[in-house]
């Protein structure tokens, strides 16, 4: 799958601001916004290619919409003509001047005056050497920088969407899933989260919520079956009633990724600490978990240049570089299966301001490690942060002479 850049100059696309407002309304209604767009003389565009719309002409220059290439309606495909039967289903059977046209399936958009500015991207280390000058629409973006562009778009579009200056269809479906989950309509929630994953297959917020809803649905079904099969005698004694009383659950349920709904009763061993994650066990075990997690993550960056800055208190543990890509990696090791952990104010600050920040959480680090990865923006949106301690200083005592 390629990433293609399509150009938009307001001098010629005079309705673009209205089109953006229409796109926001369409996305808010849980629908893609479909539009045809000029693709220059590029004849290699395929259905499913990643697509970005870029503002040109008047400044600020930058990206204001994203989606993918859609197949043109069957009756409107240019390939139906013998002269163009070598083209994919993406090409529309009319032209924009001398340029081909394709259909775009837009799933996220921001206001035209608030694009992801290319001038800012140029100075980010992960875009060193990237070319942001495109002579015509439909140009292919250098594959070395596509992942970084997707991450930068995520960081840029998410807060704008929350403020009403944009819309993201993946957020609409996740919010719909959350509402269904809160109402215990787990089947509808699963459907909504799957719709989110159809748009963004690796979106960890949707993946984690989907897994939770599937688990809750199984419990819900099992409970209904149990209630149906259970036969209660009319003359139930106090003793039998007492034996049927539900005991408090010893499970730790996770909402989104980290919000703890119920906590297990205190045990003499460290099972509770294992469930909760990094930083809750004894010192020696925490060090072992931390080392195992670091080793696991370093293997994921095989072939990268890796520098450890664990002792430097910079808000992350590793600097991983490959070609022009830079990742500032914070690693959290968890001995249990749930991604709950302690995070410092310095690390949260990095997640807020550093576009290169990446959080890795390694669960079951000491036996069967499993890695989970989030960008800083994803971490802030998907995790609930709760204070677990405060700094206390005695107030000064002023003496009256």
């Amino acid at each position: 799958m390629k990433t293609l850049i399509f150009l938009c100059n307001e001098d010629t696309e005079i309705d673009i601001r209205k089109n953006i407002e229409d796109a926001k309304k369409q996305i808010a209604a849980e629908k893609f916004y479909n539009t045809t767009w000029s693709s220059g003389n590029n004849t290699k565009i395929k259905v499913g290619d990643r697509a970005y719309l870029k503002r040109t002409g008047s400044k600020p220059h930058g990206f204001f919409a994203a989606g993918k290439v859609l197949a043109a309606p069957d009756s409107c495909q240019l390939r139906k003509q013998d002269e163009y039967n070598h083209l994919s289903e993406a090409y529309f059977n009319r032209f924009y001047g001398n340029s081909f046209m394709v259909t775009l399936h837009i799933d996220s958009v921001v206001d035209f005056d608030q694009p992801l500015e290319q001038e800012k991207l140029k100075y980010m280390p992960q875009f060193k050497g990237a070319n942001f000058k495109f002579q015509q629409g439909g140009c292919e973006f250098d594959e070395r920088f596509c992942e970084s562009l997707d991450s930068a778009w995520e960081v840029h579009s998410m807060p704008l969407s929350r403020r009403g200056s944009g819309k993201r269809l993946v957020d609409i479906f996740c919010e719909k899933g959350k509402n269904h989950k809160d109402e215990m309509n787990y089947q509808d929630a699963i459907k909504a989260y799957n719709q989110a994953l159809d748009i963004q297959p690796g979106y960890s917020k949707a993946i984690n919520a989907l897994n939770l809803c599937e688990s809750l649905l199984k419990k819900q079904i099992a409970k209904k079956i149990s209630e149906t099969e259970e036969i209660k005698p009319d003359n139930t004694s106090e003793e039998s009633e007492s034996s049927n009383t539900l005991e408090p659950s010893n499970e730790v349920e996770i909402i989104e990724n980290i919000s703890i709904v119920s906590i297990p009763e205190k045990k003499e061993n460290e099972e509770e600490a294992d469930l909760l994650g990094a930083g809750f066990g004894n010192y020696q075990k925490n060090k072992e978990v931390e080392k195992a997690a670091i080793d696991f993550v370093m293997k994921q960056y095989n072939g990268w240049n890796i520098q450890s800055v664990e002792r430097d208190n910079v808000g992350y543990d590793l600097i991983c570089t490959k070609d022009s890509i830079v990742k500032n990696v914070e690693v959290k090791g968890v001995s249990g299966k749930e991604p709950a952990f302690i995070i410092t104010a310095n690390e949260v600050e990095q997640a807020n301001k550093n576009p290169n920040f990446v959080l890795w959480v390694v669960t079951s680090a000491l036996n069967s490690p499993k890695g989970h990865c989030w960008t800083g923006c994803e971490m802030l949106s998907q995790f609930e942060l709760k204070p677990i301690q405060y700094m206390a200083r005695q107030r000064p005592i002023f003496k009256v002479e």
Side-chain angles (χ1 to χ4, degrees), residues 333-346:
V334 179
S335 56
K337 296 180 180 180
E338 304 296 348
F341 51 88
I342 293 173
I343 188 166
T344 68
N346 196 13

Side-chain angles (χ1 to χ4, degrees), residues 237-260:
S237 65
E238 288 187 8
E239 183 178 352
S240 62
E241 286 179 0
S242 175
S243 64
N244 286 329
T245 302
L246 292 176
E247 294 296 330
S249 172
N250 281 338
E251 294 184 10
V252 175
E253 292 187 358
I254 305 298
I255 299 301
E256 304 301 341
N257 283 333
I258 197 171
S259 176
I260 299 175

